[in-house]
Amino acid sequence: MERIRAHLAGLAGPFAGRDARAAARAIMTTDTVPKVAEAAVGAARVVGIAKGVGMIEPDMATLITLFVTDAEVPVGELDSRFRRVVDRTFNALSIDTDTSTSDTAAVMASGAAGPVDLDALERALHEVALSLTRQVARDGEGATKLLVVRVELARDEGQARRVAKAIVNSPLVKTAVHGADPNWGRVAMAVGKCSGETDVRQDDVVIRFGDQEVYPGPVDESGLAALTAYMKGDEVRIEVALHTGAAAFTVYGCDLSAGYVRINADYTT
Amino acid sequence: MERIRAHLAGLAGPFAGRDARAAARAIMTTDTVPKVAEAAVGAARVVGIAKGVGMIEPDMATLITLFVTDAEVPVGELDSRFRRVVDRTFNALSIDTDTSTSDTAAVMASGAAGPVDLDALERALHEVALSLTRQVARDGEGATKLLVVRVELARDEGQARRVAKAIVNSPLVKTAVHGADPNWGRVAMAVGKCSGETDVRQDDVVIRFGDQEVYPGPVDESGLAALTAYMKGDEVRIEVALHTGAAAFTVYGCDLSAGYVRINADYTT
């Protein structure tokens, strides 16, 4: 803790990239890489570090993230804007559905760089948080790919979030992504897992992998070739339009690999 | 379908073991073994076959099971007793949380052997259904172990079922079982996933692996040695007492292995 505190004191001063990286490294547990991101907001900067690779549900859990900025910002504004950012980034992340305690997202502002535009600050906080969220998902236990699931045209944000979480957490979707298989049937299955969403009609659902519509399709041969190439990349984006309304939500996760099993089956208490 | 029907006609007659096995083999998809069970009830018999290895939630899904008996039994009695049996066997089974359609459990009675005691018939149906449920769980995609989770001293059966399902479906519990690790912390974590069960207090929870209490414990050295040997067996039973009431429910599942990932990542549509 002393060591972390010393690093943070370093961060809050000159924001030296090396210090942020050292702090990010100091809080690593089974992370394979330190996670750091930063953004400028006027003359000020926002720097964030994070650690976490599993047990991220329901909200952050073993994920710990610390932000510092030298912007001058009223505490109430910093609190409410940071909470809004966290809800769309760290709270939209899932590795394996399992849960834990300890979730922490903290932000500290020194004021040294003077006042900044508050909307610009919120955008900078969001940029840093989103980068860290993607880094955590990509470094999920055993992960070989980042999986981004966006559900849109939903009745409300809650519906979009529930459906997106069902997709990103489905073992069969996660293994299909691992195997680079554009298996829209499994995505449709995961939508169907949300039995409470009685206003969702299968005939109205549209599913895309990247920019390619796969359902209702059809996908022609050149589309299939492009799709196969896309699925082999290290980031896969699945988009689902429900056509029950106008709300959207995006969640972040990863594929399910034999590496995940190895890490968690070999671990002994 | 003709082939299945012919086999069933064979079954309903002499109940020849070879015919039942042939029918069980005929309905296999990615099952690695045919699943057959039978039990006597007076002069009559009950024979059941099943197929299914994944996508079993929320209730049976891709699991298909067919029962025949030569007992004489009123249709209404057969229906209500079979439903009660199914609820505690096939509907208490989970492989990977993923879902599907097609779930079918059918029972046919020819009456050729005359009337039987109805409670004895229900016990025979239960014996056959439980055997098939355990066979399906053990043959789950990539499974190397049968995992049985019993939650007892619960407020009601619904609570026992929800908590048991959370445990049997937790990727971290499943990988711990795969690695033969008596990791009670992950079981406690899975109990904690059921955030709606606000009457469950961690201090009142008791966790056993097989006959060995592991929480609150402590486990001494000879206990630990016995536990380690137990976890290496091909069936692991986890028992959790909640102390919120007197109800109980048992669910059936399997471990999570690299084989599961391989089967589902290599599959291509």
Side-chain angles (χ1 to χ4, degrees):
Chain A
M1 198 58 205
E2 271 311 307
R3 197 168 152 213
I4 295 170
R5 210 172 283 139
H7 280 304
L8 286 173
L11 279 177
F15 290 103
R18 205 176 57 177
D19 284 348
R21 203 166 174 79
R25 191 173 289 281
I27 60 172
M28 279 169 63
T29 46
T30 49
D31 304 60
T32 68
V33 289
K35 293 156 185 95
V36 186
E38 69 169 277
V41 46
R45 288 206 290 169
V46 173
V47 178
I49 62 173
K51 80 104 201 167
V53 287
M55 302 179 97
I56 299 291
E57 293 270 4
D59 284 329
M60 292 199 277
T62 49
L63 187 141
I64 295 178
T65 184
L66 304 164
F67 282 53
V68 287
T69 178
D70 50 1
E72 186 184 321
V73 47
V75 168
E77 285 288 345
L78 185 60
D79 182 67
S80 64
R81 288 171 186 268
F82 190 57
R83 284 178 191 276
R84 203 149 55 202
V85 164
V86 166
D87 193 50
R88 296 185 169 274
T89 52
F90 301 114
N91 286 355
L93 174 66
S94 189
I95 304 298
D96 63 4
T97 77
D98 275 331
T99 60
S100 187
T101 54
S102 313
D103 44 297
T104 302
V107 57
M108 291 173 281
S110 69
V116 295
D117 177 77
L118 291 176
D119 290 338
L121 175 67
E122 187 171 332
R123 283 194 297 275
L125 289 168
H126 186 269
E127 184 185 331
V128 171
L130 185 62
S131 170
L132 291 172
T133 297
R134 291 167 54 95
Q135 291 178 52
V136 169
R138 197 182 283 276
D139 196 30
E141 289 176 332
T144 67
K145 288 166 193 281
L146 170 65
L147 173 57
V148 178
V149 179
R150 178 177 171 82
V151 172
E152 58 192 23
L153 300 180
R155 189 180 66 243
D156 51 41
E157 201 175 289
Q159 180 178 58
R161 183 193 288 257
R162 285 189 296 276
V163 174
K165 278 280 184 101
I167 297 168
V168 84
N169 279 327
S170 158
L172 290 179
V173 170
K174 287 162 73 81
T175 47
V177 169
H178 183 60
D181 179 20
N183 194 323
W184 64 262
R186 294 188 184 175
V187 176
M189 175 279 297
V191 175
K193 282 174 99 165
C194 305
S195 57
E197 313 303 332
T198 50
D199 54 339
V200 176
R201 296 179 57 246
Q202 191 187 319
D203 287 351
D204 297 334
V205 170
V206 175
I207 301 172
R208 284 185 297 273
F209 285 85
D211 294 328
Q212 174 76 54
E213 182 182 310
V214 289
Y215 179 83
V219 181
D220 63 18
E221 283 206 25
S222 76
L224 192 62
L227 199 53
T228 304
Y230 175 74
M231 295 299 294
K232 289 184 176 152
D234 70 349
E235 175 172 342
V236 170
R237 184 180 177 90
I238 300 175
E239 293 187 347
V240 176
L242 299 180
H243 291 279
T244 54
F249 199 78
T250 304
V251 301
Y252 305 86
C254 58
D255 57 340
L256 172 60
S257 73
Y260 176 87
V261 175
R262 210 157 33 236
I263 290 167
N264 287 300
D266 293 353
Y267 172 94
T268 302
T269 38
Chain B
M1 198 59 203
E2 272 313 307
R3 196 169 153 212
I4 294 171
R5 209 172 281 139
H7 281 304
L8 287 173
L11 280 177
F15 289 105
R18 208 178 53 179
D19 284 349
R21 205 167 173 76
R25 191 174 290 281
I27 61 171
M28 281 169 62
T29 46
T30 49
D31 303 61
T32 67
V33 289
K35 293 155 186 99
V36 186
E38 69 170 277
V41 47
R45 288 205 290 168
V46 172
V47 178
I49 62 173
K51 79 106 203 165
V53 287
M55 301 180 99
I56 299 292
E57 293 270 5
D59 284 330
M60 292 196 280
T62 48
L63 188 141
I64 295 178
T65 185
L66 304 163
F67 282 54
V68 286
T69 178
D70 51 2
E72 186 184 324
V73 46
V75 167
E77 284 287 345
L78 186 60
D79 182 67
S80 64
R81 288 171 186 269
F82 190 57
R83 283 179 191 276
R84 203 149 54 201
V85 164
V86 166
D87 194 50
R88 295 182 170 278
T89 52
F90 301 114
N91 286 354
L93 175 66
S94 189
I95 303 298
D96 64 3
T97 78
D98 275 331
T99 60
S100 187
T101 53
S102 313
D103 44 298
T104 302
V107 58
M108 291 173 280
S110 69
V116 295
D117 177 77
L118 290 176
D119 289 339
L121 175 68
E122 186 171 332
R123 282 194 298 275
L125 289 168
H126 187 268
E127 184 185 330
V128 172
L130 185 61
S131 170
L132 291 172
T133 297
R134 291 167 54 95
Q135 290 178 52
V136 169
R138 199 182 282 278
D139 196 30
E141 288 175 331
T144 67
K145 289 166 193 279
L146 170 65
L147 172 57
V148 179
V149 178
R150 177 176 171 82
V151 171
E152 58 191 23
L153 300 181
R155 188 180 66 242
D156 51 40
E157 202 175 287
Q159 180 179 59
R161 184 192 287 257
R162 286 188 296 275
V163 174
K165 279 279 185 98
I167 297 168
V168 84
N169 279 327
S170 157
L172 289 179
V173 170
K174 288 163 72 83
T175 47
V177 168
H178 183 62
D181 179 19
N183 194 324
W184 64 261
R186 294 188 185 175
V187 176
M189 175 278 297
V191 175
K193 281 173 100 165
C194 306
S195 56
E197 313 302 333
T198 50
D199 55 339
V200 176
R201 295 180 55 245
Q202 190 188 320
D203 287 351
D204 296 335
V205 170
V206 175
I207 301 172
R208 284 185 298 273
F209 285 84
D211 294 329
Q212 174 76 54
E213 182 183 310
V214 290
Y215 179 84
V219 181
D220 63 18
E221 284 205 22
S222 74
L224 192 62
L227 199 54
T228 304
Y230 175 74
M231 295 299 294
K232 288 183 176 154
D234 70 348
E235 175 173 342
V236 170
R237 184 178 176 91
I238 300 175
E239 293 187 348
V240 176
L242 298 180
H243 292 278
T244 54
F249 199 78
T250 303
V251 301
Y252 305 86
C254 59
D255 57 339
L256 172 60
S257 73
Y260 175 87
V261 175
R262 209 155 36 234
I263 291 167
N264 287 299
D266 292 353
Y267 173 92
T268 302
T269 37

